Amino acid sequence: MSKKYTILILLFTFTAVVIITSVTSCKKIFPEMINPEDGLCGPVSLSADQTILFSQGNDQFFATRTTATGLGPYFVATGCGSCHSSDNRGHPFTILTRFGQTDSTGNKFLAEGGPQLGTFCLPGFTPEQIPAGATSSKFIAPITAGVGFLEAVPDSEIVAMAVANENNPDGVRGHPNYNTVPSFVTQLNGSKQRADGKYICRFGRKAATYSLFQQVALAYNHDMGITSSYMPINPYNYTDQTTPPIASTPEIDNTTFYSVVFYVTCLQTPIQRTPTDPTVQQGNALFIKIGCETCHKQTLTTGYSPIAALSNQTINPFTDLLVHDMGPGLDDGYTEGNAKTSEWRTTPLWGLGLAPGVQGGDVYLLHDGRAHSIAQAIQMHGGEAAVSSARFTALSSQEQAAVIKFLQSL
């Protein structure tokens, strides 16, 4: 064989090795996309017209925004899908930083860029910083799958779960987060206004957002710096400006906005995998026995929804939609609505086992991702959850593994 052909063969072999190594390395960094059949993605049962609207919303949810489509001047991510990969929870790369409120009297730093830090800004704008004296907290985006069902849970059921805890021997209490609702938000589910003008809210890490309609408006405005007819003022760095902000022409039209609201509302619930596995069943029984189910309610029932597939459904979200005092270890000195600084909404656990698929193969749990395993997240629970956390720690290694396997099946 000639020297020329020998060199060519060596070059080909080297190139093949590089390609194979690169693909293998990328798989380590970027996990494979979640198979929808494994529990996430896809709509509830919809009519033909509703399916078209859902598809339009899907396209917009995963679209990348640029300056030409309204991005900025301050933003955290360039699209909804950046924080909610595969309709699941977020990643520390797109973490949100909230600041400026320490009690229920409201945010004292709205004139200095509050309540959310613009992680990035467009050229020509001064990067935002947390003002001196402002406490802050980091939030990882929660899971979006199934949220339409959570919206359809009646206020009465949320209140009933709080009442049921009044004499809980483990010290579990919990209460709804009553917050002010913007005038543009349409009232749903027969919600009743309190004497102080506040309503029960249920979305976000502090359960401070009333509805998905409000959540989408906030996400476009605070997370992407995009105005709508509902929030027409861009996130503003007051410290660099001498004039107050003014409303701008909406950077997202109402048709697009409605399609995104419809999309997130109609996402199917995550499906539990291997529910008949004996170890999973043992873990489920232990989960209930040690008291985790007191807050992480396995079963809720929806009420009326204008979307028929969401009405009067039994769901398994593993949340009571209440805020609970989680102790000083999880007190970030920041709050929203009438939740205290150490109080957090019970996180829905459905889809938990799929978290590694959207978090780079690892897990980042609790409100800010500080827990890097399910066991660590449980053991960081304090306050009202301290008794249950201690019971988990007291289990045998086999029993702890069963609880974790159960949670990974969700």
Side-chain angles (χ1 to χ4, degrees):
M1 184 180 294
S2 70
K3 183 177 181 181
K4 176 181 177 182
Y5 286 114
T6 301
I7 292 173
L8 285 173
I9 290 172
L10 288 173
L11 274 173
F12 177 81
T13 303
F14 174 76
T15 303
V17 170
V18 169
I19 291 172
I20 292 170
T21 303
S22 298
V23 170
T24 304
S25 299
C26 287
K27 283 189 176 181
K28 291 180 180 177
I29 299 172
F30 301 106
E32 295 180 3
M33 291 296 290
I34 291 172
N35 183 343
E37 294 180 359
D38 287 338
L40 279 178
C41 303
V44 296
S45 179
L46 300 172
S47 68
D49 289 342
Q50 288 174 325
T51 300
I52 292 172
L53 183 58
F54 179 89
S55 179
Q56 292 169 340
N58 175 84
D59 291 344
Q60 293 298 324
F61 188 88
F62 290 102
T64 298
R65 292 282 171 170
T66 65
T67 52
T69 51
L71 182 70
Y74 298 97
F75 58 97
V76 176
T78 58
C80 307
S82 299
C83 292
H84 302 283
S85 177
S86 297
D87 301 307
N88 208 313
R89 48 193 39 79
H91 187 282
F93 287 161
T94 53
I95 203 162
L96 311 175
T97 302
R98 304 273 176 81
F99 65 90
Q101 184 171 334
T102 58
D103 55 39
S104 60
T105 60
N107 196 303
K108 304 299 190 297
F109 290 86
L110 294 178
E112 296 180 67
Q116 185 163 294
L117 184 72
T119 311
F120 305 103
C121 65
L122 298 178
F125 288 85
T126 303
E128 289 190 320
Q129 296 181 351
I130 299 174
T135 57
S136 64
S137 184
K138 295 185 181 299
F139 294 177
I140 282 183
I143 189 171
T144 47
V147 290
F149 289 90
L150 296 181
E151 184 170 59
V153 173
D155 283 0
S156 58
E157 184 160 352
I158 297 174
V159 171
M161 287 185 284
V163 171
N165 290 336
E166 289 179 353
N167 298 312
N168 181 277
D170 294 341
V172 175
R173 296 296 180 264
H175 62 89
N177 189 353
Y178 285 89
N179 202 3
T180 303
V181 174
S183 59
F184 67 77
V185 174
T186 302
Q187 306 306 325
L188 300 173
N189 295 336
S191 297
K192 295 181 179 179
Q193 187 180 46
R194 288 200 320 187
D196 60 3
K198 297 181 178 181
Y199 291 83
I200 289 178
C201 295
R202 64 188 70 193
F203 294 111
R205 293 295 185 179
K206 291 280 190 178
T209 303
Y210 179 80
S211 66
L212 295 174
F213 193 96
Q214 181 187 6
Q215 182 61 48
V216 170
L218 285 167
Y220 270 112
N221 195 263
H222 290 173
D223 302 348
M224 291 174 271
I226 295 174
T227 61
S228 63
S229 60
Y230 305 104
M231 296 188 73
I233 297 174
N234 256 316
Y236 206 83
N237 189 341
Y238 286 82
T239 58
D240 288 347
Q241 306 293 336
T242 57
T243 56
I246 58 174
S248 64
T249 302
E251 294 164 326
I252 180 173
D253 62 87
N254 285 351
T255 299
T256 299
F257 182 93
Y258 297 152
S259 73
V260 174
V261 174
F262 189 80
Y263 170 76
V264 295
T265 302
C266 295
L267 285 170
Q268 187 54 270
T269 64
I271 301 169
Q272 184 182 11
R273 298 160 308 287
T274 63
T276 60
D277 181 285
T279 304
V280 168
Q281 293 181 337
Q282 179 195 14
N284 189 3
L286 288 167
F287 181 85
I288 296 170
K289 182 179 179 179
I290 65 178
C292 299
E293 208 266 346
T294 304
C295 300
H296 291 283
K297 294 291 186 186
Q298 296 199 33
T299 303
L300 298 179
T301 304
T302 66
Y304 167 76
S305 170
I307 299 169
L310 303 179
S311 291
N312 305 310
Q313 299 295 312
T314 298
I315 57 174
N316 303 108
F318 294 84
T319 179
D320 57 9
L321 298 175
L322 300 173
V323 292
H324 293 269
D325 188 337
M326 300 301 290
L330 295 179
D331 188 338
D332 287 357
Y334 172 82
T335 193
E336 297 172 333
N338 79 332
K340 295 181 177 64
T341 54
S342 60
E343 291 182 329
W344 301 92
R345 185 194 70 163
T346 304
T347 299
L349 298 181
W350 54 12
L352 176 60
L354 301 175
V358 295
Q359 294 187 326
D362 297 316
V363 290
Y364 301 90
L365 305 177
L366 299 180
H367 65 277
D368 58 358
R370 70 180 69 182
H372 301 297
S373 71
I374 292 175
Q376 188 177 33
I378 295 172
Q379 291 166 336
M380 285 183 174
H381 280 51
E384 296 176 29
V387 173
S388 293
S389 178
R391 287 176 182 152
F392 172 80
T393 301
L395 295 175
S396 69
S397 58
Q398 185 278 329
E399 290 173 324
Q400 288 186 9
V403 173
I404 292 170
K405 186 172 183 179
F406 162 65
L407 293 171
Q408 289 172 333
S409 77
L410 301 181

